[in-house]
Amino acid sequence: MKILVVGSGGREHAIVQKIAQSPKVEKIYCAPGNAGISQLAECVPIGAMEFEKLADFAEKEKIDLTVIGPDDPLVGGVVDVIEARGLRVFGPRKNAAILEGSKAFSKDLMKKYNIPTAAYETFDSAQAALEYLETAPMPIVLKADGLALGKGVLICQNLEEAKAGVQELMEDKKFGSAGERIVVEEFMTGREVSVLSFVDGKTIRIMTSAQDHKRAGDGDTGLNTGGMGTFSPSPFYTEEVDEYCRKYIYQATVDAMAKEGREFKGIIFFGLMLTEKGPRVLEYNARFGDPETQVVLPRMKNDIVDVFEACIDGCLDQVELEFADNAAVCVVLASDGYPVHYEKGFPISGLDQFPGDDGCYVFHAGTKLAEDGKTFLTNGGRVLGVTALGDDLKTARANAYQATERVTFENKYMRHDIGKAIDEV
Ligand code: AMP
Ligand code: GLY
């Protein structure tokens, strides 16, 4: 088979690595890919938002399966464009990707189908939002309706902050049209867990759990980032939690989408908060999580191509997912100053010390090849994700931190407490 993966981050590197293990696959392309991915796939210079060019390429190269990584193209309808050419593609159509593309849509869906989530109100006008906030309990959460690079969520401690938040989202339009409508949501407390799943429109198969670390600094301080590290499984995702989510959240979401005429095929990522009252949905994503994918896929035993195909063909009920009885930790190596100001273009050394057979992997997020075609250079805020497997979480964490020492570049920055929460178990 010939497979095209769309996207250019650590998530796509992990997806490409997993696809490369399938004996069915002869050739992998990645659009646009990155320097690390180019070691496993042929990178083609087409952007993830260039839908017609992607479809032209898939048609011309007779691609058997296209896999979409990021949210923007999914929400924009790339799957519909590629399908319209009679080609096979893994991911939700535009009318289903709205599950991630509009927080107002997803909240209304959860309310209508009694899927447990935080109480909320939706506002199209700043004035109405401000009036509501005057008497609302604090802290409170404001969310831009649309996609905002994961940054459109504001946790406001008091009325003053909430008013400033409305100004930022709705009047200053910090996230453009994403903030034309906002969701104002009850503040919840508890542990967060990420659960990824494969969905074929009817059947849902749950992958192993993971946990992300979104803040830039140790001890969950500093600004929100795209994710500074992950571990899998989450020890807080107990059997009891799993049972509850299977009963009230997972299948209920898939059925709700089908009832709405928005059959969902692809990945649903459940962002859950384990509150005192039970698990609640924080958010849905319509794609693999980044960097959750970098710890989940290395533990998956199935041939991922078979699972993608079962989702497309609607026969996921015949697939059982299998995960190794081990653990994985991913530590993101970033450029110092991320997510605000950071420098790029520094040579990276030590990447050759990941032979791939010792349970340690390096996934590229922001790298590029220098003109010599050999030297890897830093090219983004998040540069690399170093993942290590281990028999248990503590071993995986020790292995991952040890493996980060193999890599050096100027301004290398990482959190030192990825997976620290497991010490509390
Ligand atoms: P989201 O993009 O909706 O997952 O929100 C980003 C982050 O904001 C989440 O991972 C949580 O840490 C936090 N968050 C979102 N909604 C709530 C809420 N209702 N209560 C508390 N924290 C929240
Ligand atoms: N790690 C969170 C996300 O992918 O949105």
Side-chain angles (χ1 to χ4, degrees), residues 308-325:
F308 287 148
E309 299 222 275
C311 290
I312 295 172
D313 295 329
C315 56
L316 191 61
D317 57 335
Q318 286 160 40
V319 173
E320 291 303 331
L321 295 183
E322 275 191 273
F323 285 85
D325 184 19

Side-chain angles (χ1 to χ4, degrees), residues 327-342:
V329 171
C330 172
V331 179
V332 169
L333 305 185
S335 305
D336 196 14
Y338 172 72
V340 187
H341 296 291
Y342 50 86

Side-chain angles (χ1 to χ4, degrees), residues 212 214 226 269 283 285 287-292:
D212 191 5
K214 285 189 174 134
F269 165 142
E283 65 161 345
N285 294 314
R287 50 163 175 89
F288 280 105
D290 192 350
E292 284 87 342

Side-chain angles (χ1 to χ4, degrees), residues 91-389:
R93 292 181 188 144
K94 185 173 183 173
N95 76 347
I98 191 175
L99 189 64
E100 171 165 9
S102 167
K103 295 213 187 267
F105 170 85
S106 69
K107 294 296 294 189
D108 290 347
L109 185 88
M110 288 186 265
K111 188 189 234 173
K112 182 168 173 187
Y113 293 93
N114 290 317
I115 298 168
T117 187
Y120 73 102
E121 297 285 338
T122 304
F123 297 97
D124 292 305
S125 100
Q127 202 196 331
L130 291 170
E131 274 169 29
Y132 172 81
L133 288 169
E134 290 288 346
T135 56
M138 298 290 152
I140 203 154
V141 184
L142 309 185
K143 298 186 174 184
D145 176 47
L147 292 183
L149 300 166
K151 300 194 179 78
V153 174
L154 305 177
I155 310 231
C156 306
Q157 296 302 329
N158 51 46
L159 182 60
E160 211 169 290
E161 279 182 34
K163 283 181 171 170
V166 171
Q167 173 78 27
E168 195 177 308
L169 295 175
M170 301 190 88
E171 317 234 60
D172 303 344
K173 297 200 169 33
K174 191 167 169 201
F175 300 104
S177 60
E180 276 170 10
R181 174 181 289 174
I182 64 165
V183 169
V184 177
E185 192 175 280
E186 168 201 1
F187 176 76
M188 301 187 291
T189 51
R191 286 200 181 275
E192 287 184 43
V193 182
S194 302
V195 177
L196 304 180
S197 66
F198 288 96
V199 182
D200 76 351
K202 307 179 293 288
T203 301
I204 180 164
R205 289 281 187 255
I206 304 300
M207 295 182 234
T208 180
S209 61
Q211 188 176 321
D212 191 5
H213 296 64
K214 285 189 174 134
R215 300 291 202 94
D218 283 0
D220 288 331
T221 54
L223 293 172
N224 257 327
T225 70
M228 294 301 295
T230 38
F231 59 87
S232 170
S234 163
F236 309 104
Y237 189 80
T238 58
E239 266 175 38
E240 195 187 349
V241 170
D242 184 62
E243 205 173 293
Y244 180 97
C245 295
R246 285 178 196 270
K247 199 161 166 194
Y248 298 109
I249 296 176
Y250 301 146
Q251 189 68 48
T253 301
V254 176
D255 293 346
M257 290 298 281
K259 280 207 190 99
E260 294 293 309
R262 297 174 182 274
E263 182 185 63
F264 194 105
K265 290 187 176 204
I267 302 290
I268 300 183
F269 165 142
F270 297 85
L272 303 173
M273 188 173 271
L274 310 181
T275 75
E276 273 182 354
K277 290 187 224 149
R280 298 285 181 268
V281 178
L282 276 173
E283 65 161 345
Y284 292 117
N285 294 314
R287 50 163 175 89
F288 280 105
D290 192 350
E292 284 87 342
T293 305
Q294 290 90 310
V295 284
V296 169
L297 291 190
R299 300 186 51 225
M300 185 171 151
K301 290 186 179 173
N302 302 69
D303 180 332
I304 199 168
V305 176
D306 290 342
V307 187
F308 287 148
E309 299 222 275
C311 290
I312 295 172
D313 295 329
C315 56
L316 191 61
D317 57 335
Q318 286 160 40
V319 173
E320 291 303 331
L321 295 183
E322 275 191 273
F323 285 85
D325 184 19
N326 60 6
V329 171
C330 172
V331 179
V332 169
L333 305 185
S335 305
D336 196 14
Y338 172 72
V340 187
H341 296 291
Y342 50 86
E343 292 174 73
K344 309 193 269 196
F346 298 116
I348 307 169
S349 63
L351 293 169
D352 50 353
Q353 291 177 47
F354 289 84
D357 58 3
D358 63 348
C360 296
Y361 312 100
V362 62
F363 297 114
H364 292 228
T367 65
K368 70 172 188 188
L369 276 176
E371 276 173 23
D372 66 7
K374 293 196 301 257
T375 314
F376 289 90
L377 303 174
T378 64
N379 193 38
R382 289 191 298 172
V383 179
L384 301 163
V386 173
T387 294
L389 298 171

Side-chain angles (χ1 to χ4, degrees), residues 63-102:
I63 299 294
D64 298 294
L65 171 65
T66 300
V67 178
I68 313 296
D71 45 0
D72 297 285
L74 289 168
V75 170
V78 70
V79 169
D80 307 61
V81 173
I82 294 173
E83 268 187 354
R85 307 280 185 101
L87 298 167
R88 285 165 75 75
V89 48
F90 177 79
R93 292 181 188 144
K94 185 173 183 173
N95 76 347
I98 191 175
L99 189 64
E100 171 165 9
S102 167

